[in-house]
Amino acid sequence: MTRSILIVIPTLNEARTIDGVLTALAQDLPRDATTTFVVADGGSTDGTADRVAARPGVQLLRNPKRIQSAAVNLAAATHGRDADVLIRCDAHAVYPPGFVRQLVEALDRTGADAVVVPMDSVGHNCLQRATAWVSDTPVGSGGSAHRGGRRSGFVDHGHHAAFRMASFRRAGGYDETFTHNEDAELDCRQRALGAKVWLDADIRLEYHPRDTLRGLWKQYAGYGRGRSRTVRRHPGSMRARQLAVPLHVALSVVAVLLAAWVPWLMLWPAAYAALLAAASVGLAVKHRSACGLLAGPSAFVMHTAWAMGFFDGMLSLREQPWRPEAATPLWDSAPVGASHD
């Protein structure tokens, strides 16, 4: 029986990259499957939608809610009712030939309900390169398996790539109230319902970090804010490496405030500064580039922004714990109409 694969790419002003992404994903597709490409556009103003509409064989779907979680859900409900596999891709990533085929093979080989992959960060300007280099180290990511990891296995979370559509639908798809961390939150629901998530370290993609410190701060503050919701909706989901970030920032603030009375408390932020300096020098030497000296400032922004976003979310957002019995399928058996091009 021929398998049906739905490939979804959310976009918002991705005219510079969307053609390359679509071309790369279309290479070396599974031979025993039909594939449907859907670009769910959140209202681009740079010509992204026009470029997609001009490509034969690609469906353009208008995403009025703009965010990625809504884009994937809408595409699945509109074009994926009969699909066996859902593949989510990003318009700002670089994909190797055979990416889709390898994901489907991994689903078959492992029996997993979802396959996640590592991201190898790369950059064009100096700050991007430094951010990429430090992101794939324990200093930048705390040893996260999907940040440059090399070991395959079943995991709690990773960079989303492929789902069995039945599992995605049963879990309810992405929560569209999440602008960040929607992937980790969905993984929690899937695992609570008995699904298994496989990290395949042999299927890799390249990811371009933000190219300014301001953009990096905004991104990671959003990540931290989103994680604050996930950890309360799914108690016990926060790992030690994630807890270490807000704990470190809190201890550093306390140390600075009490330094006049307890000077030795400054040893903590001093040790952190030394760690960042050592990482910067080490990466500069390893890559033979002075750009590596920006690794410390990048890591500082990522850590601090994530922690501040986490604290902000904990104080300003309300969240109730989720229970498996509350799971609602993304759609029922009745067809649901949607406007698309």
Side-chain angles (χ1 to χ4, degrees), residues 271-292:
Y272 174 67
L275 176 66
L276 295 186
S280 296
V281 173
L283 288 169
V285 172
K286 177 181 178 180
H287 295 280
R288 298 182 180 181
S289 170
C291 291

Side-chain angles (χ1 to χ4, degrees), residues 50-87:
D50 293 335
R51 299 186 75 87
V52 172
R55 292 186 69 102
V58 178
Q59 301 288 331
L60 175 63
L61 182 66
R62 304 293 183 179
N63 171 28
K65 294 184 179 180
R66 299 174 65 87
I67 61 176
Q68 293 188 13
S69 55
V72 179
N73 285 354
L74 181 61
T78 305
H79 293 283
R81 298 296 182 98
D82 298 321
D84 302 296
V85 176
L86 167 65
I87 293 178

Side-chain angles (χ1 to χ4, degrees), residues 143-223:
S144 174
H146 67 281
R147 288 286 187 175
R150 297 288 172 179
R151 181 178 298 178
S152 299
F154 288 104
V155 296
D156 292 341
H157 171 59
H159 182 73
H160 281 184
F163 303 88
R164 296 188 190 277
M165 184 65 85
S167 177
F168 183 83
R169 172 186 171 275
R170 182 168 70 115
Y174 291 111
D175 186 325
E176 297 179 15
T177 66
F178 277 66
T179 59
H180 296 77
N181 213 234
E182 78 282 354
D183 49 357
E185 194 279 328
L186 174 57
D187 284 340
C188 289
R189 279 185 282 125
Q190 287 203 110
R191 289 186 292 103
L193 293 169
K196 296 185 293 183
V197 180
W198 174 262
L199 172 69
D200 197 314
D202 295 324
I203 309 174
R204 314 185 71 86
L205 59 86
E206 293 183 351
Y207 169 80
H208 298 284
R210 297 296 189 270
D211 56 5
T212 66
L213 289 177
R214 181 178 180 179
L216 196 63
W217 179 282
K218 182 178 179 180
Q219 179 186 29
Y220 274 79
Y223 287 162

Side-chain angles (χ1 to χ4, degrees), residues 86-106:
L86 167 65
I87 293 178
R88 169 183 171 171
C89 298
D90 297 310
H92 50 267
V94 179
Y95 294 94
F99 182 76
V100 172
R101 174 182 55 78
Q102 292 178 69
L103 290 174
V104 174
E105 290 173 352

